[in-house]
Amino acid sequence: MPRLPYPDPAKLSPQVRKMLEDRLPLNFFRMLGHAPTFMPGWFTLGRGILFEAELPPELRELAILKVGTLSHCAYESHQHRRVAATVGLSAEKIAGAEQGADPALFDARELQVLRFTEQVVLKVKADKDVFDATVAMLGERQTMELMITIGFYMMAARLMENIEVDLEAGGGPSLEEARQMRAKVAAKVAQEAAEAAAKGG
């Protein structure tokens, strides 16, 4: 039982209802209806992280899985195991990101992302050698995107855990539904980018 009730959909504004209808039916998204003025910004940043960043999606998902584990957030870990599968991470790497598998399972960049994420979550400020090695491997932009991703999902985990958001009945949307929604949003992002480029030209 969550510590806050889920908002009554009938009492949400048309804008909020539309934002929820355009996304997978997840309990955490429903709970965000308690903060309607924050929802557009939340979803815009989330879309940027998931669909518009240069940081490779498999590295992003390894970082998010590590954040979920270190934050002891079952809901975040549950959801992003499926997201990780949709971007091509193997079951072994998904489990390894959470449990600390044999380093030989990961390549050098993946290990560095996991090491960096762990330090940012647990120590706030990563050691200089770890930070510098991350920049050397990912470059400045992707390192910044990685830090923003870590921070965003740390915030999400703390909301989920304090509210005690329920896992969806039956485990929630299927992996195939997650893949279809990801493809839909990715196509929309690509279309918007093409339209913006056309106007700029």
Side-chain angles (χ1 to χ4, degrees):
M1 178 73 69
R3 289 174 167 179
L4 292 178
Y6 293 103
D8 181 351
K11 295 180 180 179
L12 298 176
S13 70
Q15 180 193 25
V16 169
R17 286 200 297 271
K18 180 67 167 60
M19 283 189 286
L20 293 176
E21 289 166 2
D22 288 343
R23 287 162 177 85
L24 288 171
L26 301 181
N27 287 335
F28 179 61
F29 292 164
R30 292 171 56 205
M31 196 62 81
L32 289 175
H34 283 301
T37 56
F38 292 176
M39 286 179 74
W42 182 281
F43 286 131
T44 296
L45 180 53
R47 180 176 119 155
I49 290 170
L50 293 173
F51 296 98
E52 301 174 77
E54 286 188 358
L55 182 70
E58 64 275 12
L59 297 182
R60 178 198 73 222
E61 290 305 317
L62 287 173
I64 295 170
L65 289 168
K66 180 60 73 175
V67 170
T69 296
L70 295 174
S71 300
H72 308 288
C73 184
Y75 188 93
E76 185 166 270
S77 295
H78 171 76
Q79 297 300 346
H80 279 273
R81 288 185 198 111
R82 287 187 292 178
V83 178
T86 69
V87 303
L89 279 174
S90 68
E92 292 77 15
K93 286 188 176 183
I94 290 170
E98 297 178 316
Q99 300 169 7
D102 184 345
L105 183 63
F106 301 100
D107 66 29
R109 286 196 313 166
E110 292 168 342
L111 282 173
Q112 189 61 37
V113 164
L114 291 169
R115 186 177 299 117
F116 181 77
T117 301
E118 182 170 351
Q119 289 207 352
V120 171
V121 174
L122 297 180
K123 299 175 64 175
V124 180
K125 185 176 183 179
D127 296 338
K128 185 178 186 305
D129 63 325
V130 174
F131 185 91
D132 290 347
T134 303
V135 176
M137 286 190 177
L138 300 183
E140 294 174 356
R141 174 170 176 166
Q142 290 186 21
T143 299
M144 180 63 79
E145 290 177 346
L146 175 59
M147 289 188 288
I148 291 170
T149 298
I150 294 167
F152 183 80
Y153 282 94
M154 286 176 67
M155 176 170 60
R158 281 144 184 79
L159 284 171
M160 293 168 188
E161 282 299 297
N162 278 284
I163 299 170
E164 297 183 356
V165 177
D166 298 308
L167 287 175
E168 289 74 25
S174 68
L175 181 59
E176 184 55 34
E177 288 172 314
R179 285 195 180 101
Q180 290 173 0
M181 179 58 74
R182 179 171 181 79
K184 177 182 175 182
V185 177
K188 184 177 180 181
V189 169
Q191 179 183 357
E192 290 173 358
E195 290 172 354
K199 288 179 182 177

